[in-house]
Amino acid sequence: MTDAGPFHDPGRVAALAARIERLAGLLPRPATLMEVCGTHTHAIGEAGLRRLLPTNVRLVAGPGCPVCVTPVDYLDHAIALAMRPDVTIGTFGDLVRVPASRRDSLERASARGADVRIVYSPRDALALARALPQRTVVFLAVGFETTMPTIAAALTEAEATGVANFRVLCGAKLLEPPLRALVADPELRVDGFLLPGHVSVILGADFYRFLTADCGVAAVIAGFAPVEIQQGIAELLEQLVARRPRVANLYPRAVSAGGNRTAQALLARWFVPVDTRWRGLGSIPASGLALRPEFAHRDAAQLAVSLPEPLEPKGCRCGDVLRGSISPPGCPLFARGCNPDHPIGACMVSSEGTCAAWYRHERPVRAADA
Amino acid sequence: MQLTDRREFEGTATLHGVRRTVSLLLCPEVVVGDHVLVHAGFVIGRLDEQEAAATLALLDEGLAREREANDRAAGEAAS
């Protein structure tokens, strides 16, 4: 997507801001909306859309940044594997600087001699395994339903071409369980979700029916351009004003009703749901993915390592930010010790992280907001 | 990005002259010329230009109606 074109048109953004203002005037009570996806958080910050919102509409960031919700014990595990002399780690770039226990990180492990390689795709990690037949290449499988099919595809390729030294450390997360947990959070009182565009490409619009049927909240699938986000917010307010929650698909150019069936089938073939821990949300039943038992030979968790006692960074409130209970400036470390150059918490590291987005785009205006 | 070339399960996606080799394993139905969504080296979906135009037309229709209503209200207030 480019920064020009009809979906970035300032005239449409302004007209939609007026529509949002008018609808907000009809709301029975102040509304809390949540953008679930980290890419939305950055797009909203970059376009300055939060500042255009009426005062009775609160838009909070959700748990959709995979790196941010990955708990420290996963990173401790990845570092322990990285320190094995026979292991090469392949990982997406934003994971290497995320603080683990005791301010360790993959970056620091790399400085101590561990072989940590940043890759763009799980396929690159597979290529690495082919190039380094004497070593075990472990790909750090962190992500939601958008990323996990790409990892399943790489695993399928590894099986088909007999690359035995390729494994994954599974830290996958599913979208539905945390959405249900957030709806049930009495402190947050979320009225509507701006649903993630790319996860929806895989899952399809029909996947979200539970939000209407079981949760009774407003929901919209929207793209990432300013006009699309504004349109999404207006749609959520329309549903709230009419008291008719539904799942609106305003991103039909990419999202179908049924989603990407090929990707869904590949996910089901390789993985099964498993209880997993989230930074900020704690343990949620069946909210993660693990490799099926028949693929244990691909599971890096089978490699012997000793793990330290997990320790979250002191004073860091990433957990509250991820639950939407505070905005980043509400954390005592935000811009005071914790910044993108010296991140203390995960949300400041990732390109999708809420704190990183606020630090870059929303700090001067909302510094007093908590 | 646009798919500009395909071999069996691989293809080339191009945006502003930048070319990337992408896997088509997750979206084998794409054809050369399709606008595609690429995630971590894989095509995960197609972008339907007709749907994009339809979404935009619907939006503009609604915004035009609102503008007319506003103008009418302003006219009535002035008279």
Side-chain angles (χ1 to χ4, degrees), chain A residues 42 45-46 334 340 348 351 355-364:
Chain A
H42 270 263
E46 200 174 356
F334 181 77
M348 189 60 95
S351 56
C355 295
W358 279 69
Y359 192 91
R360 265 186 79 179
H361 302 299
E362 313 207 30
R363 189 160 40 116

Side-chain angles (χ1 to χ4, degrees), chain A residues 1-2 6-7 11-12 15-16 18-19 22 92 120-123 146-147 149-151 153-154 156-157 198 201-202 227 231 238 250-255 260 262-263 266, chain B residues 1 9-10 15-16 20-23 25-29 37-49 51-53 55-56 58-63 66-67 70:
Chain A
M1 203 172 296
T2 57
F7 289 108
R12 290 190 177 94
L16 282 164
R19 180 189 285 183
R22 177 177 61 79
F92 293 131
Y120 159 75
S121 164
R123 293 184 88 210
T146 327
T147 306
T150 70
I151 294 163
T156 304
E157 217 177 319
H198 290 158
V201 171
I202 303 292
V227 167
Q231 223 183 335
E238 255 165 50
L250 295 185
Y251 197 33
R253 64 189 165 118
V255 177
N260 182 334
T262 308
L266 213 50
Chain B
M1 304 188 89
F9 288 110
E10 266 190 5
L15 179 70
H16 302 316
R20 256 192 205 297
T21 299
V22 288
S23 167
L25 267 182
L26 297 179
C27 209
E29 65 272 22
L37 269 174
V38 176
H39 182 77
F42 288 79
V43 171
I44 59 165
R46 294 176 58 242
L47 283 174
D48 187 328
E49 296 302 299
E51 285 283 9
T55 304
L56 214 52
L58 204 65
L59 170 67
D60 285 345
E61 204 183 294
L63 291 177
E66 280 166 37
R67 211 165 25 241
N70 277 345

Side-chain angles (χ1 to χ4, degrees), chain A residues 156-213:
Chain A
T156 304
E157 217 177 319
E159 288 285 296
T161 54
V163 184
N165 61 329
F166 179 70
R167 291 178 182 245
V168 301
L169 183 64
C170 210
K173 299 278 186 275
L174 299 174
L175 185 62
E176 178 178 340
L179 290 186
R180 285 183 182 272
L182 288 163
V183 169
D185 185 342
E187 195 191 337
L188 178 65
R189 295 189 60 187
V190 65
D191 298 297
F193 287 111
L194 189 66
L195 296 167
H198 290 158
V199 174
S200 305
V201 171
I202 303 292
L203 295 176
D206 288 348
F207 173 82
Y208 298 106
R209 282 181 179 155
F210 71 95
L211 286 175
T212 317

Side-chain angles (χ1 to χ4, degrees), chain A residues 192-195 208 211 217-221 235-236 239 245-248:
Chain A
F193 287 111
L194 189 66
L195 296 167
Y208 298 106
L211 286 175
V217 293
V220 65
I221 299 165
E235 166 66 31
L236 289 175
Q239 292 182 26
R246 64 184 191 112
V247 179

